[in-house]
Amino acid sequence: MGKIRAVCISREKGTPKENVGSGMLVEGFGLEGDAHGGNWHRQVSLLSGDKIDEFRKKIWVEYGAFGENLVVDGLDFRNLPVGSRFGTGDAVLEMTQIGKECHSDCIIRQKTGDCIMPREGVFARVLKGGKVSVGDELVLLPPEENPPLRAAVITLSDKGSRGEREDLSGPLIVKMLTEAGYRVEETLLLPDGIQPLKNQLIRLADGRQMDLILTTGGTGFAPTDVTPEATMAVADRNAPGIAEAMRAYSLSITPRAMLSRAASVLRGKTLIVNLPGSPKAVKEHLEYILPTLEHGILLAGGRDGECARK
């Protein structure tokens, strides 16, 4: 259990947050009046009070200086898993991300060479609204029983990212995952290239702690097909059996399957699997591997004893 030390908002983006003492958490938005609220996963930012106290030994900062909405004593957010839920009064928050990249124009980092928000701050969405005030308790709620596995989908396509080609594979993957009981948290459309994909894979695996990340496109022989290289670059452990099984299955359909360079790896507890770019091949591959993936994901997350998702 924690206690709220500050409630901060900024009326406009690009301006520091100020401690206003109390506010209204709005379901599906964030703090009423805060410029950073909206229909996304980073509706409310939280920071542990002791982390601010430690930083104040270097330089004095006001509450809200790091962009945090809620300063809370008694909870070490950084060591809680994504998906943790908190209650304060009638309101309920769900943690969605740990840390974030610091703004290039961060004044605190410019002055001190350090900023605690990227490594200590967390973000949440508002599941249920209600008033929040300084002095209120913030309680860590029991975990959701048998939650759905969480997934992200990334399409790699130069033409798609420029709006010159409709992305058909990404939405198909989302549909198939949703029908299989997954909760698809993010979809991205990126140009071909190693660094942008690496950055997003790291963010989704480390910050958002996804159970599964599926990519589509960039697995062939063309010079711009570098999805496997980006995937292997972020891997902690290889999981080659999935990619090998997809190639073996696909060879029964077309001999061109031998030209696939798709990879499958683990980063922490997150499984990352490369799928081909064509919707037809995506459908064939997913129909083949989806029934088995859940067991591997639960093993990777140390949850092999849990019941199957519904």
Side-chain angles (χ1 to χ4, degrees):
M1 183 174 67
K3 182 167 285 190
I4 295 173
R5 191 193 290 187
V7 178
C8 307
I9 65 170
S10 52
R11 302 290 180 183
E12 297 179 3
K13 290 185 178 180
T15 61
K17 286 184 171 25
E18 296 181 359
N19 184 13
V20 293
S22 66
M24 185 64 66
L25 288 166
V26 179
E27 183 176 331
F29 176 83
L31 268 170
E32 188 175 51
D34 185 51
H36 296 87
N39 183 26
W40 67 324
H41 67 280
R42 282 167 41 187
Q43 295 171 355
V44 179
S45 52
L46 303 96
L47 196 56
S48 300
D50 66 302
K51 307 299 182 183
I52 296 178
D53 292 340
E54 186 65 26
F55 190 86
R56 281 175 167 175
K57 295 177 182 178
K58 301 179 183 179
I59 184 175
W60 180 265
V61 292
E62 300 292 342
Y63 296 129
F66 298 102
E68 73 277 12
N69 290 120
L70 301 180
V71 179
V72 183
D73 290 328
L75 288 173
D76 186 1
F77 294 112
R78 187 62 176 80
N79 289 315
L80 294 172
V82 168
S84 296
R85 296 186 174 201
F86 310 94
T88 178
D90 294 328
V92 177
L93 303 174
E94 180 184 55
M95 200 164 94
T96 57
Q97 180 171 313
I98 297 173
K100 75 175 185 67
E101 188 176 351
C102 197
H103 293 296
S104 58
D105 59 348
C106 174
I107 301 299
I108 294 176
R109 185 177 292 277
Q110 291 176 11
K111 289 183 176 181
T112 67
D114 188 25
C115 180
I116 59 175
M117 196 64 184
R119 62 177 183 272
E120 301 292 352
V122 303
F123 296 86
R125 56 179 154 227
V126 183
L127 300 182
K128 184 180 178 184
K131 188 175 181 181
V132 59
S133 301
V134 170
D136 288 351
E137 293 180 345
L138 187 72
V139 180
L140 179 62
L141 301 175
E144 182 182 3
E145 185 177 353
N146 199 27
L149 294 175
R150 301 165 56 253
V153 178
I154 304 176
T155 300
L156 285 307
S157 170
D158 282 336
K159 289 185 177 180
S161 67
R162 294 194 298 263
E164 298 172 3
R165 175 186 293 167
E166 182 183 2
D167 175 22
L168 299 177
S169 295
L172 175 59
I173 296 172
V174 171
K175 180 176 182 292
M176 294 181 70
L177 285 175
T178 302
E179 290 174 349
Y182 288 77
R183 181 190 294 159
V184 180
E185 297 276 6
E186 277 199 48
T187 59
L188 298 170
L189 179 55
L190 301 178
D192 292 306
I194 291 180
Q195 196 58 49
L197 179 54
K198 279 179 60 178
N199 292 343
Q200 292 300 328
L201 291 175
I202 292 170
R203 180 184 67 84
L204 290 168
D206 297 0
R208 300 218 62 193
Q209 297 182 350
M210 293 293 175
D211 296 301
L212 174 66
I213 303 172
L214 295 178
T215 71
T216 172
T219 60
F221 276 24
T224 56
D225 289 341
V226 292
T227 299
E229 282 68 32
T231 302
M232 294 300 295
V234 304
D236 293 326
R237 293 185 290 162
N238 196 8
I242 299 169
E244 291 167 359
M246 289 193 298
R247 274 187 284 271
Y249 174 70
S250 191
L251 276 169
S252 68
I253 302 171
T254 172
R256 290 189 177 183
M258 69 179 72
L259 302 180
S260 169
R261 301 188 309 107
S264 45
V265 305
L266 288 161
R267 181 179 175 89
K269 298 178 180 179
T270 301
L271 175 63
I272 306 171
V273 179
N274 301 153
L275 294 172
S278 80
K280 179 178 180 295
V282 161
K283 185 174 185 297
E284 292 167 352
H285 284 63
L286 269 186
E287 286 177 342
Y288 183 64
I289 66 172
L290 267 180
T292 306
L293 284 191
E294 180 177 1
H295 179 60
I297 293 169
L298 293 177
L299 284 171
R303 296 171 286 168
D304 55 304
E306 292 187 8
C307 299
R309 267 59 180 165
K310 297 180 181 178

